[in-house]
Structure formats: C-alpha cells, structure tokens
Amino acid sequence: MAPIGSPRDILIPVPWGHISGNVRGNPNGQRVLLVHGWTDNLGTFDLLIPLLSESYYLVCIDLPGHGQSSHFPQGVPYNLIEYVVAIRRVIRNYLKWTKFDYIGHSLGGAIGIMYSAIFPTEVERFILIDYIKMLSWSNEETYLNFGKYCKEFLALDRQRMGVHTMAFPLAKLQDLYVQVTGGDLSQEAAGILLKRGARQLNAGDNWTFTRDVAIRNPGLFRFTHTTTLSILENIRCEVLLIKATGSRLFEPKNICDATTRVYENNCKLYKYIEVPGNHFLPLSNPTAVAPHINRFLLSNRNV
C-alpha cells in the first residue's frame, strides 16, 4: 500500500474562533471525516491513518474545546447537540460535502451516530470504534442527572473564570494522561496526544493541557433510552462497529442489545467485529483495526 502522505493543517472559521484539523490523501478520493473521543484530539488517528488506503481523502478535526481548536465562549456547555452543530459547520459550511463516510472513536462515534440520524442521506458508511451510540438515561435518571450536571457545569464555569492554571513538566503531564485512563493509554500514545493536547505556559518545562476544563461535564444534555432508540431508527447508512475485547460496555447490556437490533432492522448494512485491544484501539492496536476499515469502506467501490 502506497503511503497516504503528510497532513496539511487547516483552520475552519466558526463564530467563536476556529476548529483545527488536518487533511491528507487524495483530494479527489473517497471523502472520510475522522472524529476523536472525549478529552483527546485528532492525534488519536496518527498511527491508524498510515495503514489506510491512499484512495481516501481524510479530514481529521479537533472537537471544540479539544486539541488546538478554540474553546466555547464562557457560559456555553459542551454537549452532544453542540458538537453535532459543530460537525455540521465543518461538513456543509467549510468542506461543502453532501456525501461522505465517517469514522468516530468513542465520543466521536456518538456525535457521528446522532449526525447520521439527523441527516440520513449524507453519511454513506459509518465506522464506530468501541462505542455503540450516544449515552442515554432511564426516565428516572434523566431528571435526577440534569440537576446534578447543571450544578457541576456552573461550578466548572466559575473555575474557568480565573483560577490559576496548573503547570507541570511535560513528562509529568504525560504520566497524568496515562493515569487518568487507568493505564489504557501507553506512554507513547499519551505523547502522541500531547503534541496537540499540551501547551507551554512560559519559558522552561512548564506545561498544561490545551483542552477546556468545561469538557469534564459531558452529561448536561442526554436523551432517555426510549428517545435515543427512536432517533437511531432514522439511520440508513452502512454501519461497522469495531469493539475492543479489552474494553467494557459503556451502558447496560440490554440497552446495547436494543441498539444492535435497531441497527440490524434499519441500516442498509450492519456489521459487528471484535479485535484485541483496549478502548483506545486506534492507538493501542491500529494494525488490527485498519484492515477492517479498508475492507468496509472499499467494498463495492471502484478504487
């Protein structure tokens, strides 16, 4: 397989600043958007992309508040709907795509599934990496958790307003990244993510994370299980779910099983595979993931 080429950085203008990203591959090729998970950045795909077909035109972005992208304005929460709107700005306002494929890891997959349900004629093929859908709640959990997350968001909002930014040596920041994932991220993988996820505060070895502290409150807005499954019934694209054998389910098994039935009954095609590795599959085992992606995206295509 020929090398896919070096990335070219892009800055996508948005009303609150910019969404940072990069592009690589064949500009006339198969259009693919890649979106990373919670608290990470587009470096998630750095080890995976060189293993993908050179026929793709790959666009990777840092979600708002992550990596090198601008933070939301003070007082604006990070939630699924805001992320979907941001993706819409990228797809239609900047790239001007009407048809494309989507690869999403973790939160990036949840955002993409929601996008695919809202705009079912745009996404042709969708790859979920170790996430089955956007998180949802039971009816009782919904009203209880809204209050909880509202209080937490307001506390984080005050924290954004002027507390001193903590600085660490870069090696310590790397260790912290590994620790918060329970060791699922290797030192190498953490170093890759910190290329976009760390910034130097001043002269010397003083670094902090680039991500917005407010993204630590991801649950301010979620649907109920029933509403979520109803939304997912609108998905029509082909879907591939790549599950890590060493990763947990993120929701009760009965909800995951119900989601699988929705995909099987409504998607043009639904495939499920398991590969060895932990939740951070694109970084922990890219050689196992890449062949499945290539087969799925290239099947029945003239390339």
Side-chain angles (χ1 to χ4, degrees), residues 3-16:
I4 205 163
S6 300
R8 175 174 61 86
D9 291 336
I10 56 173
L11 288 180
I12 301 169
V14 290
W16 63 91

Side-chain angles (χ1 to χ4, degrees), residues 13-245:
V14 290
W16 63 91
H18 66 266
I19 291 175
S20 183
N22 64 40
V23 300
R24 62 181 112 186
N26 178 7
N28 298 315
Q30 188 172 333
R31 297 167 170 177
V32 184
L33 181 70
L34 297 93
V35 183
H36 63 83
W38 181 54
T39 76
D40 299 329
N41 55 66
L42 65 78
T44 292
F45 303 105
D46 278 4
L47 301 182
L48 176 65
I49 285 176
L51 305 175
L52 299 181
S53 168
E54 69 276 10
S55 65
Y56 306 139
Y57 183 59
L58 303 173
V59 178
C60 301
I61 63 165
D62 290 333
L63 287 168
H66 295 69
Q68 300 296 315
S69 287
S70 299
H71 298 180
F72 278 160
Q74 184 78 30
V76 177
Y78 293 87
N79 59 54
L80 181 68
I81 298 303
E82 297 297 340
Y83 286 133
V84 169
V85 173
I87 295 297
R88 186 66 172 173
R89 292 182 188 276
V90 172
I91 293 298
R92 298 308 297 266
N93 294 2
Y94 183 79
L95 296 172
K96 303 190 184 306
W97 289 353
T98 56
K99 301 281 187 182
F100 65 101
D101 298 331
Y102 189 115
I103 299 174
H105 172 247
S106 195
L107 172 63
I111 296 165
I113 278 294
M114 186 68 176
Y115 188 98
S116 300
I118 297 173
F119 305 107
T121 64
E122 295 185 12
V123 179
E124 295 184 300
R125 300 192 180 191
F126 191 105
I127 297 176
L128 283 157
I129 302 179
D130 208 51
Y131 225 62
I132 193 166
K133 67 169 182 64
M134 57 279 207
L135 296 177
S136 54
W137 290 324
S138 68
N139 291 346
E140 183 179 2
E141 287 174 321
T142 299
Y143 73 83
L144 292 173
N145 286 335
F146 272 153
K148 170 189 171 184
Y149 282 107
C150 181
K151 293 175 183 177
E152 289 184 6
F153 172 72
L154 292 176
L156 284 170
D157 212 35
R158 289 191 295 271
Q159 186 175 341
R160 295 165 84 190
M161 293 178 64
V163 296
H164 177 67
T165 300
M166 296 184 67
F168 302 93
L170 188 58
K172 176 62 176 178
L173 209 63
Q174 192 167 337
D175 289 339
L176 289 172
Y177 216 147
V178 173
Q179 290 170 16
V180 298
T181 67
D184 280 353
L185 271 183
S186 66
Q187 286 286 336
E188 177 194 12
I192 291 171
L193 291 173
L194 286 176
K195 290 177 182 178
R196 301 181 69 86
R199 63 183 175 90
Q200 194 171 18
L201 291 178
N202 47 50
D205 193 15
N206 299 296
W207 298 79
T208 192
F209 291 111
T210 60
R211 60 196 184 216
D212 191 343
V213 66
I215 67 171
R216 289 171 14 210
N217 181 257
L220 188 58
F221 180 88
R222 286 181 191 167
F223 296 107
T224 64
H225 297 319
T226 302
T227 300
T228 298
L229 293 173
S230 179
I231 291 170
L232 295 180
E233 289 177 355
N234 203 41
I235 295 174
R236 296 293 180 266
C237 62
E238 299 180 9
V239 174
L240 169 64
L241 171 57
I242 303 176
K243 186 74 181 75
T245 58

